[in-house]
């Protein structure tokens, strides 16, 4: 029988509107799970404050003072969802046997937690929460998010389709995760690389019950670029392939212009020339951009900056 102390890890960025409600619902869930003896006593809810500018940290502190089942981590500044999540996971792995991560807005149905824990008890190390539908998301969010997964996969970043960062990980899976030293963090892509047995649990994605999305379109795009360039070098290979094809085309054009030359028709349209100059120029810039992206990554990785800095931890463990 596996040990079953659970930690729920919740990254929070400017979530004062949802936190009290979220805390209440999670506490209810925790009590229910303890009553059913699915988890051990001393299981906790750990909020990570990702440098919020509102009252989020004060709320977490009050929750902790009123009830030790709530813990908190305060990051020194805003580091983004992925780093906040990592800070929570790495702290939780010191105390917990299994850790479930989810968003503060509870868009991911918390009742899927039961199934996740059942799988864990069967011996599975990583359980991914997968959205069975996105009916509640706006059309725009759904289209961009699903396009995002498809693009990621064709670009060589293999992720579980329609899985965000709602997942259960056992302590040894987290130990494995801690050995990935990369600074450009894309957890959804790294977690499958850890290995161990895994499974999925399906759930319906709901609406944010208060506040607004902290992931606007711009952030999603940069998240996608981050994901692709930090996980795979396929875009570079695609550029190389493109360069090769263009080279073949240019040989064709060379032969064509020689033939035209010997036929005496030397002035081949200005238009063609302009178009190709622009096309090639554009392609070169594009390629440079992609290469630059990776060079920038190397630059950042060689600095091996800390991925997060904790200012304070609230947790009562013996
Ligand atoms: N979040 C964070 N740091 C950030 C942005 C977001 O910790 O810089 C957290 C946020 O508080 C939430 C989770 O990441 O718990 C997901 O954000 P959100 O629900 O706004 O994203 P969406 O569901 O719209 O994709
Ligand atoms: Mg959300």
């Amino acid at each position: 029988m596996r040990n079953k102390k659970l930690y729920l890890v919740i990254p929070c960025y400017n979530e004062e509107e949802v936190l009290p409600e979220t805390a209440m619902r999670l506490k209810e869930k925790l009590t229910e799970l303890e009553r059913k003896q699915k988890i051990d006593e001393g299981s906790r809810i750990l909020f990570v404050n990702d440098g919020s500018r509102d009252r989020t940290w004060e709320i977490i502190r009050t929750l902790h003072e009123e009830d030790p089942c709530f813990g908190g981590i305060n990051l020194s500044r805003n580091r983004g969802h992925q780093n906040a999540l990592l800070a929570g996971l790495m702290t939780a792995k010191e105390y917990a046997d299994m850790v479930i991560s989810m968003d503060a807005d509870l868009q991911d149905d918390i009742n899927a937690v039961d199934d996740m824990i059942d799988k864990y008890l069967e011996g599975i190390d990583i359980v991914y929460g997968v959205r069975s539908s996105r009916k509640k998301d706006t059309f725009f969010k759904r289209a961009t998010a699903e396009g995002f997964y498809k693009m990621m996969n064709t670009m060589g970043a293999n992720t579980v389709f329609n899985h965000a960062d709602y997942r259960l990980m056992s302590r040894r899976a987290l130990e494995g995760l801690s050995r990935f030293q990369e600074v450009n963090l894309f957890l959804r892509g790294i977690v499958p690389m850890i290995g161990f047995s895994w499974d999925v649990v399906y759930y319906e994605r709901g609406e944010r019950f208060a506040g607004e999305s902290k992931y606007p379109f711009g952030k999603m795009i940069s998240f996608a670029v981050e994901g692709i360039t930090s996980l795979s070098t396929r875009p570079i290979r695609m550029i190389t392939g493109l360069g090769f094809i263009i080279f073949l085309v240019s040989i064709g054009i060379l032969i064509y212009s020689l033939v035209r030359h010997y036929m005496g028709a030397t002035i081949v349209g200005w238009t063609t020339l302009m178009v190709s100059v622009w096309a090639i120029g554009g392609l070169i810039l594009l390629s440079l951009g992609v290469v630059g992206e990776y060079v920038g990554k190397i630059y950042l990785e060689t600095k091996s900056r800390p991925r997060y800095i904790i200012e304070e931890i609230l947790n009562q463990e013996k």
Side-chain angles (χ1 to χ4, degrees):
M1 192 67 181
R2 296 178 113 179
N3 289 332
K4 40 188 189 178
K5 189 151 100 181
L6 170 73
Y7 261 58
L8 291 171
V9 170
I10 327 284
C12 309
Y13 176 58
N14 296 343
E15 298 285 12
E16 61 178 8
E17 283 166 285
V18 300
L19 257 183
E21 171 82 20
T22 297
M24 200 195 74
R25 289 199 208 169
L26 289 178
K27 165 85 199 188
E28 250 168 45
K29 190 78 211 169
L30 213 63
T31 331
E32 179 199 319
L33 288 167
E34 270 176 23
R35 207 182 45 239
K36 289 192 197 153
Q37 298 193 333
K38 283 199 176 199
I39 56 174
D40 288 344
E41 251 160 66
S43 293
R44 296 265 147 98
I45 300 158
L46 186 62
F47 294 107
V48 184
N49 175 36
D50 184 17
S52 302
R53 274 165 294 145
D54 63 0
R55 293 186 47 256
T56 301
W57 182 242
E58 281 94 278
I59 297 174
I60 295 171
R61 186 190 289 282
T62 319
L63 284 169
H64 172 74
E65 277 157 12
E66 283 167 4
D67 190 338
C69 90
F70 295 110
I73 298 179
N74 195 20
L75 297 191
S76 56
R77 67 180 183 90
N78 180 254
R79 293 307 314 265
H81 176 222
Q82 299 288 294
N83 290 304
L85 189 54
L86 185 75
L89 293 177
M90 292 300 110
T91 309
K93 89 173 175 10
E94 305 300 323
Y95 311 105
D97 303 306
M98 53 177 152
V99 177
I100 298 180
S101 49
M102 60 172 86
D103 292 350
D105 54 10
L106 300 191
Q107 279 187 292
D108 305 310
D109 181 11
I110 57 170
N111 294 315
V113 163
D114 295 74
D115 292 345
M116 288 186 178
I117 295 171
D118 287 342
K119 303 247 184 208
Y120 167 80
L121 294 175
E122 284 164 23
I124 307 279
D125 281 280
I126 303 176
V127 187
Y128 300 98
V130 171
R131 292 161 193 170
S132 55
S133 78
R134 285 177 168 266
K135 274 187 235 112
K136 299 271 172 57
D137 276 343
T138 60
F139 174 76
F140 181 70
K141 178 89 196 178
R142 189 168 61 218
T144 48
E146 287 186 351
F148 169 84
Y149 289 101
K150 296 212 173 102
M151 186 182 72
M152 295 287 300
N153 280 318
T154 39
M155 291 297 213
N158 294 321
T159 52
V160 178
F161 188 71
N162 262 343
H163 158 71
D165 285 301
Y166 185 24
R167 75 175 87 78
L168 178 146
M169 292 175 78
S170 68
R171 177 185 284 172
R172 65 174 186 178
L174 288 168
E175 294 290 350
L177 178 65
S178 71
R179 301 191 38 204
F180 285 76
Q181 291 296 332
E182 45 211 280
V183 174
N184 295 289
L185 200 61
F186 188 70
L187 287 171
R188 272 169 239 186
I190 296 173
V191 172
M193 290 184 199
I194 300 171
F196 294 122
S197 53
W198 61 277
D199 207 340
V200 299
V201 156
Y202 293 94
Y203 67 91
E204 292 262 341
R205 175 154 163 107
E207 267 165 286
R208 202 175 230 284
F209 62 82
E212 50 199 41
S213 175
K214 310 296 183 285
Y215 259 109
F217 189 60
K219 257 196 195 172
M220 257 177 62
I221 295 283
S222 65
F223 190 47
V225 172
E226 182 76 359
I228 292 161
T229 54
S230 73
L231 282 178
S232 89
T233 46
R234 195 177 290 177
I236 289 192
R237 213 162 293 158
M238 286 162 83
I239 292 284
T240 319
L242 197 65
F244 185 67
I245 293 168
I246 288 178
F247 176 66
L248 288 184
V249 172
S250 70
I251 290 179
I253 291 177
L254 183 77
I255 295 170
Y256 173 73
S257 39
L258 281 179
V259 170
R260 295 286 289 185
H261 179 75
Y262 288 113
M263 281 164 62
T266 3
I267 300 164
V268 190
W270 177 82
T271 328
T272 343
L273 198 69
M274 283 312 275
V275 167
S276 38
V277 165
W278 280 92
I280 301 284
L283 280 172
I284 289 171
L285 282 183
L286 181 77
S287 322
L288 274 180
V290 174
V291 173
E293 186 74 33
Y294 285 100
V295 175
K297 287 261 141 82
I298 295 169
Y299 174 63
L300 288 178
E301 293 289 352
T302 50
K303 285 179 186 289
S304 47
R305 290 176 178 154
R307 293 174 292 182
Y308 54 83
I309 298 169
I310 293 174
E311 192 169 311
E312 189 178 2
I313 297 184
L314 301 176
N315 195 24
Q316 289 176 11
E317 287 278 350
K318 275 132 256 151

